[in-house]
Amino acid sequence: MMKGLKKWRLVTLLAALTIILSGCGEEYLSTLLPAGEVGQDQFNLLLLTTGIMILVMAVVFTIYFIALAKFRRKKLGDSHMPKDVEGSHKLEFIWTAIPILLVIIMAVPTVYYTYKLGDVSAMEATDDEGNAENLVVNVTAKLYWWEFEYPDHGIVTSQELVVPTGEKVYFNLISSDVKHSFWIPAIGGKLDTNVENVNKFYLTFDKESKDLEDGVFYGKCAELCGPSHALMDFKVKTMSPDKFDNWVAAMKETEGATASADSADAGEAAFQQSCLACHAVSAVGTSGASAPNLTTFGDRNRVAGFLEHDKQNTIDWIKDPQKYKPGNLMPAFDSLSDEDLDAIADYLLDLKVEE
C-alpha cells in the first residue's frame, strides 16, 4: 500500500511540475525564448553555466556508480583494502585545477557581458545638430503602476511602454516611493528602481509584438514592494521604427487636450469633474503626475495592468480600485451614479492615438 501511495505522490508531483513549467514556453513572457540581443546574451550565459553544471554532475555520478559497482564488498570481500591515495599530488592537482578552470570558463564571458551590457555611454550621444542619436526612456515606478517619459520627444505615457525594434533603447530607472524592479522577461534581465539614485541600462527589441498572443510583451515588477506587488504589471508594444515615429507624432498631436465640464459628451464632463485633477489626457508634458496618464487608455491591452480591457472592468476599477489592487493610492468612486460610471468608461475607451 505504501509503495502505491509513493507512486501516486510521484505522479502528482510530476503533474504539478508540468503545469508550472508549461508557462516557460510563452514567447511574450519567457526568458527561455529571448526576443532581444540582451536577452540572448544572458540566455547564452545561462546555457554555458547550465552545461558546465550538467557536465560536473555527469562526471560525479559516473564516478559514483563506477565505484559502487566495481568496489562492492560482496564482490571484493570483507578483507579488501582500497589503495591508499592520501597525499597524492597528482590527484590533488586534478581536483584543484579542474574547478579553477571551470570557474575561469564561466568568469571570462560573465565579466565581458557585465561590462558590455552595462555600457550606457551612448545614452548622451547627439548628432551634429544636437539631436539625440538614441532613444531614451525615463521609467518611474510607483505604487502600483509605471510611468514612461520620452524626454527627447516631450511625451509621457503609462502602463504601456512603446519602443521601436532593431535599435538600443536606453532607460533611466527610478522609483517615487519604495524599491521596485523593472523586468521584461523575454527581452532582458531586471534592474532595480531605487528612490535616491537612477539606474541606467539598455535593451534591444528584435521582434514586433503585434504577432504575439496578446500583441504585447509582458513586463513585471520583480521586487516585493507591497500587497499588490504581483499585480504591478506593464505591457510592451514593439514596432518598426517608422510605426514608432508615427506613434510619437500622434502622441504629440494630443498637446493641449483636456476634458471640459461643459462638453456635450456626458463621459467627458463627468471625467472632468471627478478624474481630471489627477489624470491627464494629453501625452505632451513631463513626468511626475500623481496618477497614470490616460491619453492612450483605449489602446491599452489591460485595465490597471492586469484586468481584461473592457467596459465592465473599467467601471469596476473606478468604483473600487482597492478591491482589485490593495494598497494603491486611487480612491474609490462608488458614489458616482451608474450613468456617470458608464459614461466615463465609454469616454476612456475612446481615448486612442493608434489607428
Side-chain angles (χ1 to χ4, degrees):
M1 181 177 176
M2 288 299 295
K3 185 176 181 181
L5 183 60
K6 290 181 178 179
K7 178 181 177 181
W8 281 109
R9 284 179 178 173
L10 178 61
V11 172
T12 303
L13 177 61
L14 291 175
L17 285 174
T18 300
I19 295 172
I20 293 171
L21 295 176
S22 64
C24 294
E26 300 293 350
E27 193 174 5
Y28 56 83
L29 184 62
S30 177
T31 59
L32 304 182
L33 295 171
E37 180 188 348
V38 174
Q40 186 63 57
D41 288 344
Q42 294 170 341
F43 183 65
N44 291 340
L45 282 178
L46 177 64
L47 290 179
L48 174 65
T49 54
T50 302
I52 291 175
M53 178 192 70
I54 293 174
L55 175 63
V56 170
M57 291 178 62
V59 171
V60 171
F61 278 109
T62 299
I63 294 173
Y64 172 77
F65 285 115
I66 289 175
L68 195 66
K70 188 175 180 179
F71 300 103
R72 286 181 299 174
R73 180 176 296 178
K74 184 187 296 185
K75 182 177 180 180
L76 300 178
D78 293 337
S79 60
H80 175 76
M81 291 293 293
K83 181 181 177 181
D84 187 3
V85 294
E86 182 180 358
S88 171
H89 296 299
K90 181 178 180 180
L91 287 176
E92 289 182 357
F93 175 80
I94 290 173
W95 60 54
T96 301
I98 290 178
I100 292 175
L101 179 62
L102 293 178
V103 170
I104 292 174
I105 292 173
M106 291 187 291
V108 171
T110 299
V111 171
Y112 169 75
Y113 282 121
T114 297
Y115 280 93
K116 176 189 175 184
L117 301 181
D119 181 10
V120 294
S121 57
M123 178 181 284
E124 308 296 337
T126 57
D127 59 22
D128 294 337
E129 297 178 355
N131 299 315
E133 293 184 350
N134 299 291
L135 178 64
V136 177
V137 181
N138 295 335
V139 178
T140 305
K142 306 186 181 188
L143 293 172
Y144 295 93
W145 59 283
W146 300 85
E147 183 178 72
F148 306 111
E149 179 190 14
Y150 301 74
D152 296 318
H153 296 294
I155 58 176
V156 178
T157 186
S158 60
Q159 292 301 87
E160 283 198 353
L161 172 67
V162 179
V163 291
T165 56
E167 62 184 71
K168 291 181 179 180
V169 179
Y170 292 86
F171 294 92
N172 291 310
L173 306 177
I174 197 167
S175 172
S176 67
D177 35 58
V178 300
K179 182 188 287 289
H180 301 279
S181 192
F182 179 82
W183 187 31
I184 310 172
I187 304 300
K190 64 180 181 178
L191 189 63
D192 286 350
T193 63
N194 301 317
V195 177
E196 297 180 351
N197 65 285
V198 177
N199 282 333
K200 302 181 179 185
F201 79 146
Y202 73 86
L203 295 170
T204 59
F205 303 80
D206 293 344
K207 179 176 181 177
E208 292 188 35
S209 61
K210 63 180 181 180
D211 296 325
L212 297 176
E213 182 178 335
D214 291 330
V216 292
F217 289 100
Y218 279 40
K220 313 285 289 184
C221 174
E223 182 77 28
L224 182 60
C225 54
S228 290
H229 157 68
L231 304 176
M232 191 172 166
D233 293 358
F234 63 95
K235 305 297 181 286
V236 184
K237 288 182 178 177
T238 60
M239 56 188 66
S240 67
D242 288 341
K243 291 180 179 178
F244 176 76
D245 289 341
N246 292 336
W247 178 81
V248 170
M251 292 286 278
K252 288 182 176 180
E253 288 178 1
T254 66
E255 183 175 8
T258 187
S260 171
D262 300 323
S263 173
D265 184 329
E268 180 180 344
F271 180 89
Q272 194 280 335
Q273 294 174 357
S274 302
C275 314
L276 192 60
C278 298
H279 295 280
V281 290
S282 169
V284 178
T286 58
S287 62
S290 61
N293 186 297
L294 301 179
T295 305
T296 60
F297 185 89
D299 294 323
R300 291 182 188 170
N301 178 269
R302 291 288 188 272
V303 174
F306 71 100
L307 296 170
E308 288 294 325
H309 194 259
D310 57 39
K311 182 175 180 178
Q312 189 56 53
N313 279 328
T314 303
I315 292 172
D316 292 342
W317 170 259
I318 295 171
K319 286 178 65 175
D320 189 5
Q322 295 300 323
K323 177 181 178 181
Y324 300 96
K325 252 187 189 179
N328 84 87
L329 302 182
M330 179 174 169
F333 287 88
D334 49 1
S335 60
L336 290 175
S337 67
D338 290 341
E339 290 77 13
D340 282 344
L341 288 168
D342 189 83
I344 290 174
D346 284 334
Y347 171 73
L348 291 174
L349 292 170
D350 282 339
L351 293 176
K352 301 178 180 182
V353 300
E354 298 178 26
E355 296 180 358

